[in-house]
Each structure stands twice: as structure tokens, then as C-alpha cells.
């Protein structure tokens, strides 16, 4: 058995964030399903892609935990919110989730800085930059849905969503 090279408090934070990323994947799948049920295929596809990216984020953390001699602790995932009154409520939910995720990433980073754990700090640098992009597309999505005041403009937004929010922005 290899002894873990991760300080205990940093490992706790990495595990917490790993599960937050998995919860986000679960939540985006629910948002995708709601959009698909409303025939908003553009939003459904966009959120399905986000779900996949959140799993990749979880995988990045899981990889470091394993590489440093610890076993990742996967927690039970709570059921995501699945009922929404409007598309605006959906994108606002995504926006709040991304803001919470940024706080989670910052908490890992602050713990890693205090513990002088450089590998976790470097890993979190990637996530800190990623969260700037994640919050940017979420803010733009809320703004654009708010501006789409008639059914026609909403359908137009749905049709061109991927191009508007951009693959890179959604990365
Ligand atoms: Fe893993 Fe949407 O950030």
C-alpha cells in the first residue's frame, strides 16, 4: 500500500470538490432532460455536453488523488432539481451552480496554499481559469434568455445556442 502524499485537509477538499463536480454533471443532465422535454434541442445538447465536461473535471481531480497515493472517496449524489417553470429558471440554476462551483474550487486552492501543497495548487490553477469561462457563459446565457422576449426569439436562440455561447466558452 502506497502512503498518500496529500496532506489530510487537502485530500478532504479534493474529495469534496470531486463530488461537487459529479453533482454538477448530474444536475446538467437534469437540465438537459428538461430542455429536451420542451423541444429546446439546442439547450438540451448544450447541457448534455456540459454534463460530460463536469465528469471530465471530476476525472482530473480523481487522477491526481490516485497519482498521489490516495483512494478517491465517491459520495452518494443527491437527486438534482428537475422541475422548472421556465427556461430562464433553468439557466439561472446553471448560473448559481457555477458560482457555487467557483467557491468550491477557491476553497480547495486556499487549503492547498495554506498546506503548501504545490501539486494541488497547480491543479487548481486550471480549475480557477476554467471557472472564469464557466461563469462567463452562464452569465451570457441568463442575459440572452432574458432578452428573448417572444417565442420566435427564444427558438432562434435555441437553434444557434452552440454558436452564440461557443464551444470554447463552454469548455
Ligand atoms: Fe466543473 Fe462547470 O465547472
Amino acid at each position: 500500500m502506497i502512503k498518500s502524499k496529500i496532506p489530510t485537509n487537502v485530500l478532504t477538499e479534493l474529495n469534496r470538490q470531486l463530488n461537487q463536480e459529479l453533482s454538477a454533471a448530474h444536475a446538467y443532465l437534469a437540465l438537459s432532460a428538461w430542455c429536451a422535454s420542451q423541444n429546446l434541442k439546442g439547450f438540451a445538447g448544450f447541457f448534455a455536453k456540459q454534463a460530460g465536461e463536469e465528469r471530465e473535471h471530476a476525472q482530473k481531480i480523481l487522477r491526481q488523488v490516485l497519482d498521489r497515493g490516495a483512494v478517491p472517496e465517491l459520495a452518494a449524489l443527491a437527486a438534482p432539481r428537475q422541475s422548472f417553470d421556465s427556461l430562464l429558471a433553468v439557466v439561472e440554476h446553471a448560473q448559481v451552480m457555477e458560482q457555487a462551483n467557483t467557491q468550491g474550487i477557491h476553497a480547495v486552492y486556499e487549503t492547498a496554499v495554506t498546506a503548501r501543497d504545490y501539486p494541488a495548487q497547480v491543479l487548481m490553477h486550471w480549475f480557477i481559469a476554467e471557472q472564469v469561462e464557466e461563469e462567463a457563459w452562464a452569465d451570457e446565457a441568463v442575459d440572452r434568455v432574458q432578452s428573448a422576449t417572444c417565442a420566435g426569439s427564444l427558438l432562434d436562440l435555441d437553434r444557434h445556442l452552440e454558436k452564440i455561447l461557443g464551444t470554447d466558452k463552454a469548455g
Side-chain angles (χ1 to χ4, degrees):
M1 178 78 185
I2 301 166
K3 190 175 176 328
S4 170
K5 296 174 183 164
I6 310 176
T8 309
N9 57 348
V10 175
L11 180 58
T12 300
E13 276 296 294
L14 287 170
N15 277 324
R16 181 197 52 68
Q17 189 61 35
L18 163 61
N19 285 292
Q20 188 165 347
E21 302 288 342
L22 290 173
S23 290
H26 213 34
Y28 276 125
L29 205 54
L31 298 191
S32 174
W34 186 90
C35 292
S37 77
Q38 306 293 312
N39 290 322
L40 292 164
K41 291 189 174 133
F43 279 92
F46 182 82
F47 287 129
K49 198 167 125 223
Q50 282 307 120
E53 286 174 4
E54 298 298 352
R55 287 187 69 85
E56 286 173 20
H57 296 172
Q59 192 66 39
K60 277 180 189 285
I61 299 173
L62 186 139
R63 189 72 256 163
Q64 179 169 120
V65 169
L66 282 171
D67 283 348
R68 300 178 72 199
V71 179
E73 274 184 37
L74 300 184
L77 297 180
R81 181 173 162 194
Q82 296 178 71
S83 150
F84 299 92
D85 292 337
S86 64
L87 181 61
L88 181 59
V90 167
V91 291
E92 283 176 342
H93 187 59
Q95 185 184 42
V96 167
M97 274 199 318
E98 289 302 341
Q99 289 166 353
N101 210 25
T102 299
Q103 287 177 4
I105 295 294
H106 290 180
V108 180
Y109 184 70
E110 284 160 16
T111 305
V113 167
T114 305
R116 295 187 171 191
D117 184 29
Y118 300 115
Q121 287 178 37
V122 170
L123 179 65
M124 286 304 115
H125 286 172
W126 184 89
F127 279 92
I128 289 165
E130 174 71 6
Q131 281 312 117
V132 173
E133 292 182 10
E134 297 278 73
E135 287 202 35
W137 70 248
D139 291 348
E140 185 173 352
V142 169
D143 191 51
R144 288 196 180 263
V145 171
Q146 275 171 340
S147 303
T149 47
C150 66
S153 55
L154 200 58
L155 289 179
D156 213 40
L157 177 61
D158 184 63
R159 195 170 301 123
H160 301 293
L161 187 71
E162 190 63 46
K163 199 164 65 198
I164 290 168
L165 295 185
T167 312
D168 291 343
K169 283 187 194 172

